[in-house]
Amino acid sequence: MRSLSQVKALRNPRFWRIVRAVIFCLALLPFAYLLQGAVLNTLGADPARELALETGRWALRFLLMSLAITPLREQTGLAGLFPLRRTLGLFALFYAVLHFIIYMVFLLELRWSEIGSDIVERPYITVGFTALLILVAMGVTSTKAMMRRLGRRWKRLHQLVYLASLLALLHLLWILRTDLFDAVFYGTLLLLLLGYRLVTRLKRRVKSGRRQTA
């Protein structure tokens, strides 16, 4: 797969700008679909719950897609993939914020006094809110200026994406409960992505140890 990096078109910055533009438009399609469904009242008997579930699912999907960029880049050698991780991560934040807004506006009906108690007393809300806070922190610090300002701390902060993905998955499955397909599908994808990183890190440590003993 690394031979892809030798393809001239795939090394053209203009090509990757077009790819990012296409992904940006495609990533907005779920939002447009849900908005249309809300306006036309085609989201079923409980539109608020459907909106909450779908925005939550899309937040997790984009989070997993963002995590998949690093393995793809390392296996293909395509440096142009790297900026897509930020784009997909920001869309994960976008849908996570929508998910939280829908929860506050339609499910809690802006009863502010209940928000704090829900976060503290309901474990599935606690883990979901924690994942949201991590994504917000990562979104705020995703710029190059913040990367330079935070230095090494930036990398440590953004490694929390693994925790956020686990919490987001747990939050969604806690809500769905009996939906085994989501549990197996998203859980397997996350396990593979985290497993890849673990194996890669172990290989690097082994190589580093060999160099030191050589």
Side-chain angles (χ1 to χ4, degrees):
M1 290 183 69
R2 287 186 178 275
S3 60
L4 289 174
S5 61
Q6 304 304 317
V7 179
K8 186 175 180 180
L10 297 180
R11 291 186 283 119
N12 189 334
R14 184 180 179 184
F15 170 80
W16 290 107
R17 285 196 294 270
I18 295 173
V19 170
R20 287 198 295 273
V22 170
I23 289 177
F24 187 90
C25 294
L26 291 175
L28 287 173
L29 288 180
F31 172 71
Y33 172 78
L34 292 172
L35 182 61
Q36 180 189 49
V39 172
L40 300 178
N41 195 25
T42 58
L43 296 177
D46 193 346
R49 175 175 168 78
E50 186 65 19
L51 285 171
L53 286 177
E54 283 304 306
T55 50
R57 282 193 179 101
W58 279 107
L60 180 59
R61 287 165 185 161
F62 278 110
L63 195 53
L64 293 174
M65 283 188 276
S66 176
L67 288 174
I69 292 298
T70 296
L72 284 174
R73 180 174 59 85
E74 292 178 352
Q75 294 302 313
T76 62
L78 295 174
L81 286 169
F82 186 74
L84 299 180
R85 186 175 66 174
R86 178 176 179 269
T87 302
L88 295 168
L90 289 175
F91 270 106
L93 173 60
F94 172 70
Y95 282 101
V97 169
L98 280 179
H99 178 71
F100 185 65
I101 290 174
I102 290 166
Y103 156 72
M104 288 195 304
V105 174
F106 297 108
L107 300 179
L108 282 188
E109 298 179 345
L110 295 177
R111 294 191 295 270
W112 301 103
S113 59
E114 295 185 20
I115 294 176
S117 61
D118 266 12
I119 292 173
V120 173
E121 297 173 4
R122 298 187 179 186
Y124 75 95
I125 299 292
T126 305
V127 297
F129 188 70
T130 303
L132 175 62
L133 290 180
I134 294 173
L135 292 180
V136 169
M138 292 177 60
V140 170
T141 59
S142 64
T143 62
K144 291 182 179 179
M146 288 301 297
M147 187 183 300
R148 290 192 297 267
R149 182 178 299 180
L150 292 174
R152 292 182 179 179
R153 291 175 295 172
W154 185 90
K155 187 174 183 179
R156 288 197 294 269
L157 172 63
H158 281 248
Q159 284 178 337
L160 290 175
V161 67
Y162 308 128
L163 175 61
S165 60
L166 287 169
L167 293 176
L169 177 63
L170 180 60
H171 172 70
L172 182 62
L173 298 184
W174 215 323
I175 293 173
L176 297 173
R177 295 190 182 184
T178 58
D179 195 330
L180 294 178
F181 175 80
D182 277 20
V184 174
F185 181 71
Y186 295 119
T188 300
L189 287 178
L190 182 56
L191 182 63
L192 290 172
L193 291 170
L194 296 182
Y196 173 87
R197 282 164 170 78
L198 179 60
V199 171
T200 301
R201 183 169 296 184
L202 290 175
K203 285 182 178 178
R204 287 172 181 169
R205 286 185 179 180
V206 170
K207 287 182 180 179
S208 177
R210 288 176 178 174
R211 289 173 184 171
Q212 291 176 1
T213 55

